[in-house]
Amino acid sequence: MGLRLVLAACAAIASPVLALEGGLRSNLRSVEDVVFAVRFAGSPTGDPHWYANFGYYAFDAERKAYPEGAKLCRLNLRTGKLTVLLEDPRGGVRDPQVHYDGGKILFSYRKGGTPNYHLYEINADGTGLWQLTSGPWDDIEPTYTASGEIVFVSTRARRWVNCWLTQVAILFRASADGSGIRMISSNGEQDNTPWPMADGRILYTRWEYTDRSQVHYHHLWTSNPDGTQQAILYGNQRPGIVMIDAKPIPNSDKVVAVFSPGHGRKEHGGPIAIVDPDAGPDAEAGARQINPTRENYRDPWAFSEDLILAARGPSLVLMNGKGTVEEIFRLPEADLAAKLECHEPRPLTVRARERAIAPKVDLTMRTGTLLLSDIYRGRNMAGVRRGEIKKLLVLEPLPMPIHFSGGAEPVSYLGTFTLERIVGTVPVEEDGSAYFQLPALRSFFFVALDENEMSVKRMQSFLTVQPGETLGCTGCHEDRAEAPPHSGRPPLAVRRPPSVVEAIAGVPGVLDFPRDIQPVLDRHCVRCHDYTNRSGGVILSGDRGPMYSHSYFTLTILHQVADGNNRPRSNYPPRALGSSASPLMRKVSGQHHGVVLSAAELRLIRMWIESGAAYPGTYAALGTGMIGYAVENNAVRQDMEWASAKPAADAIGRRCLSCHGASRPLTQSISGDIKISRPEPPSVYGYPRPEGEAAQMMKKFSRHMVWNLTRPEKSMMLLAPLAREAGGYGLCGARVFADSADPDYALILAAVREAKQRLEEMKRFDMPGFVPRFDWVREMKRFGLLPETHAPRDPVDYYAVERRYWESLWYRPQ
């Protein structure tokens, strides 16, 4: 079996191995066996994401993210005997958790030939296999709780990763027999690996990105077993690590976890770290990595801070607190040939129950209550005067029913990935307190507003209240290690009943740029910023480019909205984000050539900025209406594959590229953008939105601006080199095109006209006759929101269907 002699340490070995001997003798004395899963590591598609190992891919429900072939095994540490408790050559086995009595094992099992993981129990001797959950969902990563219930993560939440092609699983709770399943998280992204702590709280990983980088924030959170009191434990201000598979270290407040680098490695791989939350939730000194970053371990179990069991590829290992590692088991050759690996080792032993926390929810209530003690207390609040903040704007990041790529397009251009519903406002009292009700089990975040309803401070995380829960926070981005000050008097806000969120009159819950914002620009801006009078070289007309309207791309690429745009940064200074920091608000508030908007128009612009400045107001726009964007396995590739493309590219090469080198790059196709050099390093998935000189370059030469698919003859690719006397701009010095009869001009125009025709055939979300993609329709049918008889190309009110989708996720009292 490849068992190392170190396993005999509990039985008084003669030759101890390195520094592990003492720990083995003291900590493994009562451990006879370990249980673990054996399966292929990661997705059979080669998908590197840590979460992509269950379900199917958005563009093809037959393409599975899970591998086939797995075992549940038991290894005797004294004899080396390996017992296979369950084997399924086409199935999947994962996430075993041993019961407190050591007599049974809870795990997630996908039977061969079936598509979903469900929760099962089995006796420690391999008898008595019993199914606990069922349905067309994946239930994974279960853990027992001291009260006898089970906490696990599940796709029953009916949502998809906002920046990938796979489904989301978040925290759920069930009775010991699998009944009474209830969602206890509202996360729009993954929750992972829940595990009970000694004080009864559940420790888990939460991935989120509210107006910040989608690949940097996946850290350690805690919750009571009923979902109340969700709070950061460690790392929310430490971007760039997936902190996962965390478990408590006995007889201490510390936890052991995998620190999977960057956006994480497949199957949670990475170095092991010891985390001491007593140092504070953001203290860098609070985490000690004990292995080099290049190494890959999984699923640690701490007997103590100096003895940790983990999986490494096809092996099980023990390591001490200094990173000395010993292999104690290696899979047989047949399993190695099948590329199987070890996962989730746990000692098969009796263990004490954690403290039981009594439920604090009232499932008959629709709402919970939030008390903010003093909004002026907190980190990075310098310069905010007492009494300056008058309201909180309540925003709701909306779950996504489908997604097709790793990018934000077309929801935004390198900005928000998520549509943000404008719920309304609540008052803030003179002492900085606020007390209000929120709908239960939905995600919310807040923007502090001044007397002019301009942004003062923006939250870049979200919170959830459970039914009947009262949740409190000390201040705005307060130090989690501080308690609220005791003044002897209750905050002003609690001297009255809790406020109800007041909707904002005249503002749709989800704003849509072409529908709601472009008409304001048409009334006040386009007379100076159209192709006829291109004041300042700025275009604010609603003409369609390959992915976005020209006005939307212009406003975002020129940073007219301050939105955090996908950067690994949070807790900005006051007035650094939102309406107060957005040049667009100054321009439409009477400070730009006498432009004066009505109060209602100003409110629309301001709320569009505060709600993330998205382009569509519907996720039905995803994967559609974009030239140069191809979804894998899509029947119609939306890029430049038509006859006019190459002749136009050749014409641009002949007539333009001699002047357009690296300093002034120019695209030769409607589907491919320019390459620009920028000083800032890329993130995992590319650069944040360009700034400064790079932004100006994109405004001038990006494919999103030089091609006009509404009025092809107004394409900058044609107007810039066309002589003034022929109706062009004559911007290219030499008369590149003396008139529109030039053969190369005609070739370029033909390509743009064909692109316009293709766009009119495929349609964008704001075009008459648009229908969403077939896979959007498939998911809405799966969720019960469209009838089974609905065909993919049937007309549908996608705005209304998505409203029903979001409402179907709302908590309803039991």
Side-chain angles (χ1 to χ4, degrees):
M1 297 296 177
L3 195 66
R4 300 290 296 269
L5 275 178
V6 66
L7 293 174
C10 302
I13 60 173
S15 176
V17 179
L18 299 178
L20 298 179
E21 179 194 10
L24 287 167
R25 290 185 182 278
S26 60
N27 290 287
L28 288 179
R29 184 177 296 116
S30 63
V31 179
E32 292 278 344
D33 300 88
V34 295
V35 296
F36 59 99
V38 175
R39 65 180 182 274
F40 185 85
S43 170
T45 65
D47 192 325
H49 294 89
W50 90 87
Y51 51 83
N53 51 24
F54 60 87
Y56 56 88
Y57 285 89
F59 51 76
D60 183 359
E62 297 304 312
R63 186 177 183 186
K64 309 300 184 184
Y66 54 77
E68 292 191 341
K71 307 174 188 179
L72 180 64
C73 296
R74 173 176 176 171
L75 176 70
N76 187 280
L77 296 180
R78 299 182 186 276
T79 67
K81 180 183 178 182
L82 181 68
T83 303
V84 177
L85 303 178
L86 175 68
E87 182 171 12
D88 191 331
R90 295 190 57 206
V93 173
R94 54 179 295 166
D95 316 317
Q97 157 72 296
V98 178
H99 192 266
Y100 298 100
D101 64 14
K104 60 182 178 180
I105 302 161
L106 173 67
F107 66 106
S108 186
Y109 174 36
R110 183 188 56 77
K111 284 189 175 182
T114 66
N116 297 114
Y117 281 95
H118 296 121
L119 303 187
Y120 284 75
E121 284 182 324
I122 193 171
N123 292 330
D125 62 2
T127 64
L129 181 67
W130 180 255
Q131 184 171 349
L132 301 179
T133 64
S134 61
W137 320 104
D138 289 289
D139 302 326
I140 59 173
E141 298 177 348
T143 188
Y144 290 113
T145 67
S147 63
E149 295 188 306
I150 297 168
V151 172
F152 61 103
V153 300
S154 176
T155 61
R156 296 169 187 268
R158 294 182 295 165
R159 58 200 69 187
W160 288 68
V161 175
N162 286 203
C163 63
W164 197 234
L165 307 85
T166 53
Q167 296 174 64
V168 162
I170 62 175
L171 290 176
F172 279 73
R173 171 185 172 127
S175 299
D177 62 359
S179 64
I181 295 173
R182 183 173 73 84
M183 189 171 77
I184 59 173
S185 168
S186 63
N187 197 356
E189 296 294 350
Q190 307 287 348
D191 295 329
N192 279 103
T193 58
W195 202 273
M197 301 175 71
D199 62 9
R201 291 178 298 165
I202 300 297
L203 172 65
Y204 66 101
T205 298
R206 173 165 129 175
W207 177 26
E208 59 164 313
Y209 42 97
T210 303
D211 296 340
R212 53 183 180 171
S213 168
Q214 89 268 31
V215 295
H216 285 83
Y217 295 93
H218 1 58
H219 299 116
L220 300 180
W221 286 70
T222 61
S223 165
N224 290 339
D226 64 356
T228 57
Q229 299 296 314
Q230 295 179 19
I232 183 68
L233 180 81
Y234 185 78
N236 200 35
Q237 298 292 324
R238 287 198 61 188
I241 305 170
V242 178
M243 301 176 185
I244 200 163
D245 281 306
K247 301 175 190 68
I249 296 175
N251 305 313
S252 79
D253 293 334
K254 298 177 182 180
V255 300
V256 63
V258 173
F259 272 30
S260 197
H263 191 38
R265 296 172 183 162
K266 68 178 182 179
E267 291 286 1
H268 312 178
I272 306 297
I274 304 295
V275 176
D276 184 359
D278 292 346
D282 302 317
E284 191 166 347
R288 179 173 63 87
Q289 187 174 305
I290 64 177
N291 313 109
T293 299
R294 67 178 182 276
E295 295 188 5
N296 263 335
Y297 300 93
R298 295 192 295 266
D299 315 307
W301 175 287
F303 296 98
S304 71
E305 189 174 347
D306 204 42
L307 185 63
I308 298 166
L309 172 69
R312 182 181 64 185
S315 304
L316 300 181
V317 301
L318 286 170
M319 69 179 70
N320 64 16
K322 297 179 180 179
T324 305
V325 177
E326 289 292 334
E327 182 182 272
I328 61 171
F329 170 77
R330 188 172 180 83
L331 288 172
E333 289 300 324
D335 290 341
L336 297 178
K339 297 184 179 180
L340 300 181
E341 297 190 4
C342 296
H343 303 260
E344 300 109 17
R346 327 288 196 211
L348 185 61
T349 186
V350 176
R351 59 191 175 95
R353 289 178 184 261
E354 301 82 17
R355 170 176 169 257
I357 299 177
K360 300 179 181 180
V361 297
D362 182 348
L363 299 182
T364 67
M365 297 186 66
R366 291 182 178 273
T367 62
T369 307
L370 180 67
L371 170 61
L372 169 61
S373 298
D374 183 358
I375 197 168
Y376 301 103
R377 286 182 59 84
R379 295 171 292 177
N380 217 358
M381 291 293 286
V384 181
R385 303 183 313 276
R386 285 203 167 268
E388 184 175 351
I389 297 171
K390 303 299 184 182
K391 297 178 182 179
L392 289 180
L393 175 65
V394 181
L395 297 169
E396 179 182 10
L398 293 169
M400 192 173 280
I402 194 80
H403 197 76
F404 303 106
S405 77
E409 66 287 333
V411 173
S412 72
Y413 175 69
L414 298 177
T416 182
F417 283 72
T418 308
L419 297 178
E420 298 169 0
R421 185 206 303 273
I422 302 162
V423 184
T425 61
V426 294
V428 174
E429 304 296 338
E430 285 299 311
D431 66 348
S433 63
Y435 183 46
F436 53 98
Q437 291 182 337
L438 288 171
L441 275 169
R442 288 158 61 182
S443 298
F444 299 103
F445 69 102
F446 311 117
V447 181
L449 302 178
D450 65 15
E451 61 184 357
N452 298 314
E453 298 189 340
M454 298 288 282
S455 62
V456 178
K457 185 76 172 178
R458 187 179 185 89
M459 183 175 173
Q460 290 183 281
S461 182
F462 72 89
L463 60 77
T464 301
V465 291
Q466 299 292 320
E469 177 184 12
T470 296
L471 183 66
C473 54
T474 303
C476 187
H477 294 272
E478 79 275 19
D479 189 333
R480 290 283 184 173
E482 289 185 1
H486 180 64
S487 66
R489 299 187 305 274
L492 291 175
V494 300
R495 303 180 195 181
R496 54 165 173 77
S499 302
V500 176
V501 181
E502 181 180 351
I504 300 174
V507 177
V510 182
L511 285 163
D512 183 287
F513 184 89
R515 181 192 67 200
D516 302 314
I517 305 304
Q518 187 61 50
V520 179
L521 303 181
D522 289 343
R523 287 191 290 270
H524 297 282
C525 307
V526 169
R527 63 176 175 266
C528 294
H529 296 290
D530 192 12
Y531 286 93
T532 304
N533 183 11
R534 198 172 58 95
S535 180
V538 172
I539 299 295
L540 292 178
S541 68
D543 295 66
R544 295 183 179 94
M547 281 192 181
Y548 310 95
S549 69
H550 287 176
S551 55
Y552 180 83
F553 185 79
T554 296
L555 291 174
T556 53
I557 195 62
L558 293 183
H559 294 267
Q560 294 299 295
V561 293
D563 58 359
N565 66 72
N566 200 23
R567 291 182 178 276
R569 182 184 175 191
S570 54
N571 195 13
Y572 286 72
R575 301 188 182 275
L577 293 178
S579 53
S580 289
S582 296
L584 176 61
M585 280 307 303
R586 294 192 290 274
K587 290 181 172 66
V588 299
S589 300
Q591 301 178 37
H592 183 70
H593 301 290
V595 173
V596 179
L597 275 62
S598 70
E601 291 171 327
L602 277 171
R603 189 179 301 117
L604 272 177
I605 298 290
R606 188 168 58 247
M607 288 299 105
W608 173 69
I609 293 171
E610 304 296 11
S611 61
Y615 180 42
T618 171
Y619 291 132
L622 293 166
T624 64
M626 295 180 282
I627 302 293
Y629 177 93
V631 175
E632 188 172 351
N633 288 4
N634 187 10
V636 180
R637 289 178 59 85
Q638 300 179 20
D639 54 9
M640 289 288 287
E641 293 182 343
W642 46 88
S644 61
K646 189 175 186 311
D650 291 343
I652 294 168
R654 285 191 295 271
R655 308 298 290 276
C656 305
L657 294 191
S658 60
C659 294
H660 284 274
S663 62
R664 295 192 301 167
L666 192 67
T667 179
Q668 289 180 261
S669 85
I670 299 175
S671 61
D673 216 341
I674 61 174
K675 299 287 190 290
I676 56 175
S677 60
R678 291 187 281 175
E680 69 267 36
S683 68
V684 176
Y685 284 105
Y687 287 93
R689 192 179 301 147
E691 296 183 350
E693 213 175 292
Q696 290 294 330
M697 194 81 68
M698 291 292 286
K699 189 260 292 188
K700 291 179 181 178
F701 302 123
S702 169
R703 74 188 186 99
H704 297 298
M705 288 304 299
V706 300
W707 305 111
N708 190 322
L709 306 191
T710 300
R711 297 177 284 176
E713 70 281 358
K714 297 295 185 183
S715 295
M716 284 297 295
M717 187 67 81
L718 295 170
L719 289 173
L722 182 63
R724 288 179 179 272
E725 54 268 30
Y729 295 155
L731 297 177
C732 294
R735 290 158 55 98
V736 178
F737 297 137
D739 54 49
S740 58
D742 188 292
D744 283 339
Y745 177 100
L747 288 173
I748 298 169
L749 178 60
V752 190
R753 284 174 172 167
E754 186 166 5
K756 176 187 178 182
Q757 179 184 342
R758 294 301 178 101
L759 180 59
E760 289 172 347
E761 291 170 358
M762 68 175 67
K763 298 191 184 303
R764 193 168 289 173
F765 69 94
D766 61 333
M767 297 171 71
F770 169 80
V771 294
R773 281 177 54 93
F774 69 91
D775 14 37
W776 182 95
V777 171
R778 179 196 67 216
E779 293 303 297
M780 291 304 183
K781 291 165 73 171
R782 187 168 76 96
F783 300 154
L785 298 166
L786 286 175
E788 286 299 321
T789 55
H790 187 97
R793 302 302 297 175
D794 284 351
V796 61
D797 184 344
Y798 38 93
Y799 291 100
V801 172
E802 284 200 333
R803 282 195 300 272
R804 294 203 304 272
Y805 161 69
W806 294 318
E807 291 171 3
S808 75
L809 304 176
W810 293 0
Y811 175 75
R812 287 164 176 77
Q814 298 177 14

